[in-house]
Amino acid sequence: MKNNMMKKSVLGAMVLGMTITGAAGVYAGTNLQKITAYLNSGIGIKVNGSAYAPTDANGGKLTPITYHDTTYLPVRALAGALGVQLTFDPKTNQVVITTNGSQQTADLASIGYTSAQIKEIQTAFAAFDGFTTPYMPTLMAANDTYKQASATGDGVNFVFSHMIVNVSPRDYAFDYEGTNVTLSNGVKAKWYKPSDTDMLTFKLDDRYVTLSSMDGALSKAQLEKIAVGVAKQTDSTAGLAIVSYSDAQFKAIKTAFAGFDGFTTAYAPTLMAGDDAFKQAAASDDGVSFLFSHMRVSVSPRDYSYGYDSTKVTLSNGVQANWYKPSDTDMLTFKLDDRFVTISSPDGALNKAKMQEIAVGVAKLK
């Protein structure tokens, strides 16, 4: 009797129709074939080690389907859990799936704060006794824009066009049920949904960081990647600091790039060692070099690592890079958009770990 109650006549809509809003009408006609399948409530689902119960847009429970010894899962619900973009194209009758690697987690950029913006951030944190040390995001979506930082009732909000990052002594996730995840740097975090917006909270030193995308433009996968880049201002990662370019230095950098036809867009490092100092940017024969007291950063259309024996590494933002040693100095090269960035420490003051973290901070100047 129990099996008879579970037995259903399932149209293709059980796999896609019930999970893709507004797509039901396109399945009408001869494309449908009637089958007999089973709702299989005995199958559980785990995402990143945590139990996951898929639901529809109204919060109703979705159950896996078993048909001819194959289990079918609700694709829309799982797409959201895995940070995969899923759409339906009615013109071609196709379900379009975009993976994290091809679109979302790859589309991140480093944030280049101006001196005025850093001062604003410092002022916002200074309003809280015992909480004055600024922590800030260093990564954002490539199509996002940083707007401002402001003090709230119990923390500081970083406002972007498509994201809010809150730094607070309060754990906003504490009273909510959610899904625990592990970020790429090993930090434990929690996804929860107090209203209509998914939120991600994790502890960072003596405070809690909460990220959300109010308009839903950023996926969970993107927000998890951005979360890894939140850092203390004066000790970003083992003694790094944010580079504060003056207006005159910004102008000089843009002028240096403007000298190259088809290569005029300016890129610059936003991080440096805490005891380093930026000196100047100068155009060379095939790119622009940024000179620091203990570091040199070159941005060029040329891949300097090509032809050398090298060691491949993956930077914390997922970008692939090469370590090589053409003479007495270790060099790190990676591709950034349509150009190659090479970082080295001519006097050996910076180790490889620091230069790899600095590499993540090279960004397009707005």
Side-chain angles (χ1 to χ4, degrees):
M1 181 69 176
K2 183 177 180 181
N3 282 341
N4 289 333
M5 292 177 64
M6 290 180 64
K7 205 173 196 178
K8 300 273 186 179
S9 194
V10 181
L11 305 181
M14 280 300 293
V15 178
L16 293 174
M18 73 185 283
T19 57
I20 301 179
T21 304
V26 304
Y27 294 104
T30 59
N31 290 330
L32 295 181
Q33 179 182 354
K34 187 175 181 180
I35 64 173
T36 300
Y38 295 89
L39 294 174
N40 194 341
S41 59
I43 293 180
I45 302 173
K46 278 190 174 182
V47 176
N48 292 329
S50 299
Y52 174 72
T55 58
D56 60 23
N58 298 318
K61 182 180 178 181
L62 298 177
T63 303
I65 294 169
T66 297
Y67 173 65
H68 284 185
D69 296 324
T70 299
T71 298
Y72 295 84
L73 303 178
V75 66
R76 169 68 78 184
L78 283 178
L82 297 173
V84 176
Q85 184 180 4
L86 178 71
T87 57
F88 180 78
D89 186 349
K91 295 180 180 179
T92 61
N93 252 20
Q94 290 181 325
V95 176
V96 181
I97 300 174
T98 305
T99 64
N100 298 343
S102 61
Q103 176 177 340
Q104 292 157 352
T105 57
D107 289 345
L108 299 185
S110 297
I111 304 168
Y113 294 103
T114 65
S115 299
Q117 288 170 336
I118 291 176
K119 184 176 181 181
E120 177 187 67
I121 293 167
Q122 291 171 333
T123 301
F125 277 94
F128 298 92
D129 186 29
F131 195 67
T132 56
T133 303
Y135 282 65
M136 61 185 72
T138 62
L139 296 172
M140 65 180 179
N143 63 343
D144 211 348
T145 305
Y146 171 69
K147 292 185 174 181
Q148 66 176 14
S150 58
T152 66
D154 61 353
V156 174
N157 270 353
F158 292 82
V159 180
F160 295 76
S161 297
H162 302 299
M163 174 178 70
I164 290 179
V165 179
N166 174 270
V167 183
S168 170
R170 175 185 172 191
D171 180 5
Y172 289 107
F174 182 76
D175 292 327
Y176 294 95
E177 293 183 359
T179 302
N180 295 320
V181 294
T182 301
L183 303 180
S184 62
N185 59 353
V187 171
K188 302 294 183 182
K190 180 179 179 180
W191 278 108
Y192 58 106
K193 199 170 184 177
S195 56
D196 296 328
T197 303
D198 288 305
M199 293 189 171
L200 177 69
T201 292
F202 63 96
K203 189 173 183 182
L204 182 60
D205 297 338
D206 62 343
R207 56 203 71 194
Y208 293 88
V209 180
T210 299
L211 297 89
S212 61
S213 178
M214 316 76 63
D215 60 0
L218 307 187
S219 68
K220 287 185 175 182
Q222 281 179 302
L223 290 173
E224 288 182 16
K225 285 284 186 180
I226 292 169
V228 175
V230 180
K232 187 189 298 184
Q233 182 208 343
T234 55
D235 186 16
S236 173
T237 341
L240 299 188
I242 293 174
V243 184
S244 299
Y245 297 105
S246 66
D247 291 339
Q249 288 170 335
F250 262 107
K251 185 176 180 180
I253 293 168
K254 290 182 178 180
T255 299
F257 277 94
F260 297 90
D261 186 28
F263 195 67
T264 56
T265 303
Y267 284 66
T270 62
L271 295 174
M272 64 180 180
D275 59 349
D276 210 346
F278 173 66
K279 292 184 175 182
Q280 65 176 2
S284 63
D285 291 339
D286 62 350
V288 175
S289 290
F290 293 81
L291 303 180
F292 293 77
S293 298
H294 303 298
M295 176 177 67
R296 179 171 179 161
V297 179
S298 169
V299 183
S300 169
R302 176 185 171 190
D303 180 2
Y304 288 109
S305 67
Y306 185 78
Y308 290 98
D309 290 334
S310 60
T311 302
K312 296 185 182 299
V313 294
T314 302
L315 305 180
S316 61
N317 60 353
V319 171
Q320 301 296 310
N322 292 327
W323 277 110
Y324 59 105
K325 198 169 184 177
S327 56
D328 297 328
T329 303
D330 288 307
M331 293 188 172
L332 178 70
T333 292
F334 61 97
K335 189 174 184 182
L336 181 60
D337 297 337
D338 62 344
R339 56 205 69 197
F340 293 89
V341 179
T342 299
I343 300 177
S344 62
S345 179
D347 64 356
L350 308 186
N351 61 30
K352 287 185 175 182
K354 279 189 180 180
M355 286 190 278
Q356 287 183 197
E357 291 295 341
I358 290 169
V360 176
V362 179
K364 184 189 299 184
L365 293 182
K366 301 296 185 182

